[in-house]
Amino acid sequence: MKALVYEGPRQIDIRDVPEPVAGSGEVLVRIGAVGLCGSDMHAWAGHDARRPAPLILGHEGAGLVAGSGRRVTINPLVTCGLCEECLAGWTNLCAKREILSMPPRQGCFAEWVAVPEGNLVTVPDNIPLEKAALTEPLACGWHTVALCQRQMRHALEEAECVVIGGGAIGVGAALALAAQGVRRITILETNPIRMPVLEKLEGIAACHPDAYQASPHLVIDCYGGAATRAWASATTRPGGLIAHIGLASAEGGLDVRRMTLQEIGFLGTYTYTAAAFRETADAIFEGRLGPLDWIEPRPLETGAEVFQDHANGRMAAPKTVFIP
């Protein structure tokens, strides 16, 4: 089969590779659409030791189950189902978790992928697979908003909310906030070519960080660098909350003294639970997350070019979706 294979820092190309073999409890899915994630970009740049070359990247997949033609979206987080965290529903915290696109599992930038049957959610016939593939990135924001609702001392629907980063994770977090009735949502983005796309999102404002003047109750940092953490800890109002999704860098930025003196909470949030993934899929199918018209489909064969365009800030769409 054809696959887009990561072969070393900034080296990725289409290769002929063996088709995967389904293990016990697994099925083969023919990929119809797969999103390009920021974590794929980190791996491509050589910044993710968890994803060594050679490797098939991509974990935001949707497609057809072999033998049945069932249309599905794929939860790429594979967990044991038996540990204390899994039994409590916190599947994303399973100590034995694996994820497609990270050894020992290959990813979805390919014609076929092997997936546990229980990780599939059926997609209605009226939902394009390109939109079904957004379930994974949108589930990150959905899960984060659910956690914030539990921890905020302010009513979420009345809160001033800021999302840092106008990529798919940030857009998804903003859409999840809007779906929960939040009326004051602003996405902060520094790439000017992305702004026209963000400005079309209904009920959501977008601006450069330098133009934002309010003091938010909630900041969701979908970039996760020292500069964005510094902005969040300096700007969040007393008693507010910072939710941290992004993993751009590991150190620096937080003003721990101000956060302590002003009782500003900090919440790390990783991927999503299995329940949050299913809830996100349902929200997409029911239209509660909007038209999802901010994606750019590209042939998988153009992968090397697309990675380079993203690295150089030339992609206006928050999400590129490859079509194998």
Side-chain angles (χ1 to χ4, degrees):
M1 69 173 182
K2 298 291 185 182
L4 187 61
V5 181
Y6 165 64
E7 298 179 326
R10 295 180 173 264
Q11 299 177 48
I12 196 165
D13 212 340
I14 292 290
R15 295 286 182 261
D16 287 309
V17 301
E19 290 186 4
V21 177
S24 177
E26 295 183 341
V27 297
L28 294 181
V29 176
R30 185 173 184 85
I31 296 297
V34 52
L36 171 60
C37 178
S39 64
D40 298 316
M41 292 298 303
H42 288 306
W44 170 81
H47 297 158
D48 190 347
R50 303 171 303 166
R51 290 179 165 95
L55 184 67
I56 301 172
L57 299 174
H59 57 272
E60 302 175 358
L64 305 177
V65 177
S68 70
R70 174 187 169 202
R71 305 173 80 248
V72 296
T73 185
I74 300 168
N75 179 345
L77 200 62
V78 182
T79 60
C80 75
L82 300 173
C83 66
E84 178 180 346
E85 287 73 24
C86 283
L87 293 175
W90 301 107
T91 49
N92 59 323
L93 302 181
C94 175
K96 296 181 179 180
R97 70 193 180 208
E98 299 173 352
I99 191 167
L100 303 185
S101 81
M102 192 180 296
R105 295 185 176 273
Q106 297 290 326
C108 300
F109 288 165
E111 294 179 285
W112 293 93
V113 68
V115 188
E117 173 80 36
N119 283 56
L120 304 179
V121 175
T122 300
V123 176
D125 290 340
N126 66 319
I127 303 297
L129 289 178
E130 297 96 306
K131 295 186 179 182
L134 294 176
T135 304
E136 197 282 339
L138 295 184
C140 295
W142 190 274
H143 172 66
T144 297
V145 170
L147 292 178
C148 292
Q149 284 181 308
R150 296 187 184 101
Q151 295 204 206
M152 286 183 66
R153 66 181 73 194
H154 304 91
L156 183 60
E157 61 272 14
E158 301 296 332
E160 176 79 27
C161 299
V162 164
V163 175
I164 301 177
I169 301 296
V171 170
L175 292 174
L177 287 168
Q180 299 302 320
V182 180
R183 294 184 292 275
R184 292 182 290 166
I185 308 166
T186 303
I187 297 176
L188 304 185
E189 174 58 55
T190 58
N191 187 343
I193 71 168
R194 185 166 281 173
M195 201 60 67
V197 179
L198 300 178
E199 289 171 345
K200 294 179 182 178
L201 298 173
E202 185 176 352
I204 298 169
C207 68
H208 190 280
D210 293 343
Y212 183 78
Q213 300 297 324
S215 182
H217 299 90
L218 172 65
V219 175
I220 301 179
D221 185 352
C222 297
Y223 179 75
T228 56
R229 287 189 289 270
W231 187 94
S233 60
T235 308
T236 303
R237 72 173 59 194
L241 178 66
I242 301 167
H244 196 269
I245 301 179
L247 293 170
S249 66
E251 298 177 354
L254 291 180
D255 183 347
V256 175
R257 180 176 177 82
R258 180 176 188 268
M259 292 171 65
T260 300
L261 293 175
Q262 302 298 339
E263 290 193 358
I264 296 169
F266 183 90
L267 170 66
T269 169
Y270 176 70
T271 62
Y272 36 78
T273 63
F277 188 91
R278 291 190 297 271
E279 290 168 5
T280 305
D282 287 340
I284 290 173
F285 304 156
E286 295 165 7
R288 288 185 283 137
L289 294 175
L292 304 179
D293 54 359
W294 36 265
I295 61 177
E296 182 175 339
R298 295 287 294 272
L300 188 64
E301 290 78 8
T302 65
E305 175 188 347
V306 170
F307 270 80
Q308 195 65 57
D309 284 344
H310 272 282
N312 293 330
R314 293 195 292 258
M315 300 297 288
K319 174 63 64 178
T320 299
V321 176
F322 288 124
I323 309 298

